[in-house]
Amino acid sequence: YGFEYAAMMEAGKAVTPFTFDRYDTFDWYLSLGSLANVNAKHLHGTIPTWNDYVAHPDYDEFWKRQTIIPHLTSVKAPTLNVAGWWDQEVVEDQRFVDDRADVLSWETAPLDADLTIAGEIVAHLFASTTRSDADWIVKLIDVYPEEYPANWELAGIS
């Protein structure tokens, strides 16, 4: 994600997403090999933020100078600072979600492509926790089949 963000923000004056040569970006990353190949094959040292990521892969003095934590010495209200490469835009690979104890998933059989679902969709959630606070998320995702010959550009899109 750091690669895509840096390339999008610093490749030119316009904010332009990196152009992958295939729909399946996971497959693109697998074929890339090591992240050391990013500069060799694609960015050629032209993206300053990516160059910083490469030059400082660990939490060294460079990154310690970037943090706000030492400046938060007299905060009077509860504060949450969220920053980094991973944020709300990142979606985990859901193919393995059924193996996670913290996730319940349910999947329907593929529907006829011409079927239109009408009416309100409702999720009834019954849960308990020993914690004092919890967030529950119910997410409905409509995904085109991976092989969708009617329009290959839609294949796998949710």
Side-chain angles (χ1 to χ4, degrees), residues 23 141-146 148 151-158:
Y23 171 75
I141 303 173
D142 184 18
V143 180
Y144 282 97
E146 287 294 328
Y148 188 65
N151 184 345
W152 285 106
E153 291 183 6
L154 295 178
I157 293 179
S158 57

Side-chain angles (χ1 to χ4, degrees), residues 16 38 42 56 59 103 113 142:
T16 307
V38 168
H42 300 287
H56 306 280
Y59 190 60
V103 175
D142 184 18

Side-chain angles (χ1 to χ4, degrees), residues 51-67:
N51 295 337
D52 288 340
Y53 294 157
V54 172
H56 306 280
D58 299 310
Y59 190 60
D60 62 9
E61 289 304 314
F62 175 84
W63 295 114
K64 289 175 183 174
R65 285 192 307 270
Q66 313 287 330
T67 186

Side-chain angles (χ1 to χ4, degrees), residues 89-119:
E89 295 176 51
V90 176
V91 178
E92 290 183 28
D93 183 345
Q94 296 298 306
R95 290 178 293 180
F96 307 105
V97 73
D98 290 326
D99 295 330
R100 290 179 45 189
D102 62 330
V103 175
L104 171 67
S105 68
W106 177 70
E107 186 176 318
T108 64
L111 301 174
D112 182 349
D114 295 327
L115 180 65
T116 301
I117 297 175

